[in-house]
Amino acid sequence: MFQVPTKTQYAIRALVHLVQVKTASVASIAETERIPFKYLEAIFSQLKSAGLLSADRGRSGGYRLAREPELILMSDVVKATEGDIRPVECVDDASICTVAEGCLPRRFWLGLKRTVDAYLASVTLAEIAEPLSPRNRIEPSPQLNEISIAAKKEHHS
Amino acid sequence: MFQVPTKTQYAIRALVHLVQVKTASVASIAETERIPFKYLEAIFSQLKSAGLLSADRGRSGGYRLAREPELILMSDVVKATEGDIRPVECVDDASICTVAEGCLPRRFWLGLKRTVDAYLASVTLAEIAEPLSPRNRIEPSPQLNEISIAAKKEHHS
DNA sequence: AAATATCCTACTAAATACCTATGAATATAG
DNA sequence: CTATATTCATAGGTATTTAGTAGGATATTT
């Protein structure tokens, strides 16, 4: 479950590359990142449509980030390569939920969606692309979880 | 992304049913829950292997929960129907990560996995199967998120 | 004009999700 | 003890999604 498609993994690798290199052609990125050229071309097309990349055609053209990596959330990236996060159909369209039972399952799935969304939106491309210094923080998630669990326990008693 | 397979959705619906009915045959559950009979049979086989269900063969046999619904976590269910949560190969096997760059992406995916795991483990089957009273709480996730986001902001400043 | 890019459309291949079929093993009710 | 109702085991089969290819048109710089 929750296997992240290679498409999205490729997208992230390529974006990280672009953070460091500023601007590059699909061909060069595909080569150094070992990503199938034509596939990456298609992926970049999507990322551009989503407003994450800008492109210049022609000789010495190439792709570059459309805005600062600090302003690119990982949720933006995921939303660009795959669609919206929709764990179950009925989270959009409640009318499907004709099985009665007040649909607590639905609320469960909604909660999952919110949780994932929140996590993805809590990390920026800049954080992921940070130069490989031995002590870089970016520990948003472990703490996030500790807190969540603690909060849950509290609420329960 | 994160489309939850119908298999898991079926599993949950069927388990909820079993919470209320105590014991039932696959056929009866399949009919009332509108789940393909043979498919549900296969799913129950998995759930039994995972230790979530017990079964009695023969004429008035059927399935029942192997333990109290309060002790069945949704993470157990998901783990039973699909495997472990493995957003990216390298979260298990770090040796794949030969692309250098200290692999901050890997930490990002790990964080996602932890977040999802924590959420799934924070809800029990009992909570989802609660009788349909107008005011049943079970708001673990919305609050959980508010807190998380608040905490994140705090941490940021 | 030649070279090097992005861009566009269509296709194939592999994997996965979803479901069906057949029948054996087992227990119970009558 | 036999008919029946159940779980259990194995082997398919179809449809959808994911992953990747192919070929070329279009734009821009040198």
Side-chain angles (χ1 to χ4, degrees):
Chain A
M1 191 195 197
F2 296 130
Q3 168 90 353
V4 175
T6 63
K7 186 200 267 190
T8 300
Q9 300 182 43
Y10 288 160
I12 292 174
R13 292 232 310 267
L15 286 171
V16 166
H17 188 102
L18 273 179
V19 171
Q20 293 155 350
V21 163
K22 280 311 197 187
T23 173
S25 69
V26 172
S28 69
I29 298 174
E31 175 158 19
T32 69
E33 292 290 337
R34 304 271 179 78
I35 300 171
F37 168 60
K38 278 295 186 184
Y39 198 26
L40 187 57
E41 220 177 13
I43 293 168
F44 268 24
S45 170
Q46 276 189 266
L47 294 177
K48 194 198 167 195
S49 299
L52 299 181
L53 291 180
S54 301
D56 291 308
R57 308 232 263 199
R59 198 160 166 161
S60 79
Y63 279 97
R64 55 182 198 284
L65 296 180
R67 53 180 193 270
E68 295 302 305
E70 288 81 10
L71 298 178
I72 296 180
L73 305 179
M74 295 317 286
S75 53
D76 297 330
V77 178
V78 169
K79 204 173 293 182
T81 55
E82 317 164 35
D84 248 325
I85 294 177
R86 223 172 278 134
V88 166
E89 277 80 11
C90 68
V91 303
D92 305 299
D93 185 357
S95 67
I96 300 175
C97 220
T98 56
V99 202
E101 85 184 286
C103 216
L104 285 117
R106 178 162 181 269
R107 298 177 73 172
F108 169 67
W109 294 126
L110 261 171
L112 176 59
K113 174 183 161 55
R114 285 207 206 91
T115 302
V116 172
D117 277 339
Y119 175 76
L120 293 179
S122 77
V123 181
T124 69
L125 177 60
E127 288 173 294
I128 287 188
E130 236 162 44
L132 47 141
S133 74
R135 14 182 123 273
N136 37 15
R137 5 117 258 164
I138 188 190
E139 302 274 356
S141 51
Q143 289 159 3
L144 212 136
N145 279 324
E146 247 57 84
I147 290 164
S148 301
I149 290 162
K152 215 267 167 179
K153 275 181 186 158
E154 278 246 316
H155 190 65
H156 225 244
S157 57
Chain B
M1 190 195 198
F2 296 130
Q3 169 90 354
V4 175
T6 64
K7 185 200 267 189
T8 300
Q9 300 181 45
Y10 288 160
I12 292 174
R13 292 229 312 267
L15 287 171
V16 166
H17 188 101
L18 273 180
V19 171
Q20 294 155 349
V21 164
K22 280 309 198 190
T23 172
S25 69
V26 173
S28 70
I29 299 174
E31 176 158 18
T32 69
E33 291 292 336
R34 305 270 179 77
I35 299 171
F37 168 59
K38 277 297 183 187
Y39 198 27
L40 186 56
E41 221 177 13
I43 293 168
F44 269 24
S45 169
Q46 276 189 265
L47 294 176
K48 193 198 168 195
S49 300
L52 300 181
L53 291 181
S54 299
D56 291 310
R57 309 230 264 199
R59 188 144 173 170
S60 68
Y63 280 95
R64 55 181 197 284
L65 296 180
R67 55 180 192 270
E68 295 303 307
E70 288 81 8
L71 298 178
I72 295 181
L73 306 179
M74 295 315 288
S75 53
D76 296 330
V77 179
V78 169
K79 204 173 292 182
T81 55
E82 315 163 38
D84 247 326
I85 294 177
R86 222 173 278 133
V88 166
E89 278 80 11
C90 68
V91 304
D92 306 298
D93 185 357
S95 67
I96 300 175
C97 219
T98 56
V99 202
E101 85 185 285
C103 216
L104 285 117
R106 178 161 180 271
R107 298 177 73 172
F108 169 67
W109 295 126
L110 261 171
L112 176 59
K113 174 183 162 55
R114 285 207 208 92
T115 302
V116 172
D117 277 339
Y119 175 76
L120 294 179
S122 77
V123 181
T124 70
L125 178 59
E127 286 173 296
I128 288 188
E130 236 162 42
L132 48 143
S133 74
R135 14 181 122 275
N136 38 15
R137 7 116 260 166
I138 186 188
E139 301 273 355
S141 51
Q143 288 158 4
L144 212 136
N145 279 324
E146 248 54 85
I147 290 163
S148 301
I149 290 162
K152 214 270 166 177
K153 275 180 186 158
E154 278 247 317
H155 189 66
H156 225 244
S157 58

